[in-house]
Amino acid sequence: MRLIIAEKPSLARAIADALPGQVSREEGSLRVGDTRVSWCLGHLLEQAAPDAYDPRYKQWRLDHLPIVPEQWKLTPRHNARGQLKVLRTLLKQAKSVVHAGDPDREGQLLVQEVIDYLGWRGSVARLLISDLNRPAVQRALERMEDNRSYQALYHAAEARSRADWLYGINLSRAWTLTGRQAGHDGVLSVGRVQTPVLGLVARRDREIADFVPRPFYVLWADFQVEHGTVRAWWQPDDRHPLDDQNRLLKREPAEALASRLPGTLGRVATLDAQKKRQAAPLPYSLSALQVDAARRYKLSAKGVLDACQALYERHRLITYPRSDCRYLPQDHWAQARRTLEGACAGDETLSRWLGSADFSLRSKAWNDKQVGAHHALAPTGARPDFARLSASEANVFRLIVRNVLAQFYPPLETREVKVDFEALEERFRAQGREILVPGWKPLFTTRDDAPPLPSLRQGEPARVADQAVEDRMTRPPEPFTDASLIKAMMNIARYVEDVAVRRTLRETDGLGTEATRAGIIETLLDRGFIVRQGSALRATRTGQALIAALPDAATRPERTALWEQRLSAIAEGSDQAAPFLDALLGDLRTLLAGADTARMRQALASAKGFEAPARAKARKAGRRGTKGTAAKRRTTKRTPGKNKEEA
């Protein structure tokens, strides 16, 4: 018997349907001829709790730390024993085994760790599926590989799992116990990724709270030229009081100049006109899709991921969604017309866009060199039944189709103009843009932020027709939203102060991964460290206090993002897991030395101002207003030793 182990039941069903023969269901598996297809339910195993290594670790004590297992142990997750029993029985009967986890780091880990845990010693084939439609699954079944080729990916995932355990268990215990000594009743969980993300939110909220608005002033003038009127803005030089963004800090110079401007004859001093071509945005990675869907449809990162999973697993309308790639394989180009014809069927807007697509075009999106374990999100070509899709699923699907469809539109061509007017020996600046060829642009928006300027000539006279001074105020930074927080995690180098580290991080995938970013936000919400206020994500008093009490290095993204870089190197075979974990332990001991009750007490006191509005907003949103969620939170406080709260 051949045994194929899939990551989830939906994938197992797709594999069984693609095999030749009649499918029959048996306990925990599907039979097709001499093949049995079974499944995991996500992770069936998890890292064992500390007391599995030593019973004394059941009690939380600072003098136990750091807890470092000599021989790592896995234990079945809650409700996983039944499926593990099925897999154990099937493995005893099997003559060959196929690993059919998702094509990513975690997919490699969760199936292989079960195979190893249950004692299989034979060879294992690797089945990689990114599209659940039958023809795609059949093609994947014809080109299976040796699972040994993916051991580097497995070692990276295993190192990630152990690193998260070491970091989460030890630091969560240390700061929970320190918090208890400082009067805080509850678990203060610390995570290798979640805490730096919380740090981003908490620091942004502090910037907003500490922001002092300052007035500044602008002067505009309308210049009458041969072919129309142009509004331009005064560019004061350093003879005047300016801030670091060249904003005028006193009104008097602007008023003085404005009083002299009426009827003044000036001229076009400089004119810079350039034609530009801009290719269509690439197809989506998951994070890029989460950013756009949050901005356009106000969907949370988790909401976008859930919609993608449904479109992939239930409806089979899109390819594997947890992808960090924005490119497509070159051989997909030849099938694109047929694929998009199926995807656009039944939708008026998509069908209209399809009718104007030029399938002879080949954008830079089709590039095998840029495609790794998975490619960009794309439609499978299955015809959608929009009546069966939720509003979120339909909106997300249309975005995915649109970005692939845009690859068959010509570039956007524009003429961009920058002009400086000179009047009374002062400079006034304007800019505009004329769309020459709209190309792909109408698929995304009909609005243009920079309207065109009238025809201008270098040196032509320009008379001031109107002018005014406007009073303005500096504004605080915007609070994070799902879109901006995901984007910050993708581009974490922007939030790094060390120049050398920032340069390194520009080459990495940022903080967290495509598969985990939405979950990180939800974890922070569930643990009461952040709340939603409308579309904004704000730190609670507890979240603020935790960030203030931790060593600065534990709250910033540098170390975690560099660890993610090393995990990627392990996955590529250019680094090893052991040195990575050794370095982590050194960092861990340094961080544990920073646990301080006095600092925690001070942090809790300084964060009081964030308590009332955050809780009120949370109750209003209903996030933690239900009895079930509140009860769960109270249970967490009574039982701080639960492994899930430590990690």
Side-chain angles (χ1 to χ4, degrees), residues 262-276:
T264 297
L265 183 63
R267 67 185 183 93
V268 175
T270 62
L271 180 64
D272 180 20
Q274 296 184 8
K275 289 185 177 181
K276 294 190 176 181

Side-chain angles (χ1 to χ4, degrees), residues 243-318:
D243 66 8
D244 58 358
Q245 296 186 40
N246 290 324
R247 291 178 297 209
L248 185 66
L249 299 178
K250 290 188 177 180
R251 203 176 201 279
E252 290 79 8
E255 287 181 328
L257 178 57
S259 67
R260 300 164 54 208
L261 279 174
T264 297
L265 183 63
R267 67 185 183 93
V268 175
T270 62
L271 180 64
D272 180 20
Q274 296 184 8
K275 289 185 177 181
K276 294 190 176 181
R277 288 166 55 92
Q278 184 181 350
L282 290 168
Y284 284 117
S285 65
L286 175 59
S287 289
L289 175 63
Q290 286 168 322
V291 170
D292 274 8
R295 288 174 173 167
R296 183 177 287 262
Y297 300 117
K298 308 301 181 186
L299 292 175
S300 69
K302 183 177 184 299
V304 177
L305 178 56
D306 289 347
C308 284
Q309 285 298 126
L311 290 168
Y312 172 62
E313 294 179 357
R314 188 184 319 139
H315 306 294
R316 303 189 185 184
L317 291 174
I318 66 169

Side-chain angles (χ1 to χ4, degrees), residues 47 72 105-106 157-172 190-194 516 560 563-564 567 580-581 584 588 643 646-647:
Q47 295 293 338
W72 288 89
R105 202 166 68 192
E106 289 307 300
E158 184 181 59
R160 191 279 312 155
S161 178
R162 292 174 177 180
D164 284 348
W165 191 96
L166 289 167
Y167 200 87
I169 292 290
N170 286 290
L171 295 188
S172 294
V190 181
R192 186 176 61 88
V193 179
Q194 73 170 39
T516 61
T560 303
W563 283 350
E564 198 64 48
L567 289 171
F580 164 71
L581 291 173
L584 186 153
L588 191 59
N643 188 41
E646 293 170 336

Side-chain angles (χ1 to χ4, degrees), residues 104 114 282 288 401 414 430 502 508 574 597 628 630 641:
D104 60 13
V114 168
L282 290 168
V401 175
T414 59
R502 189 188 311 135
T508 70
S574 59
T597 302

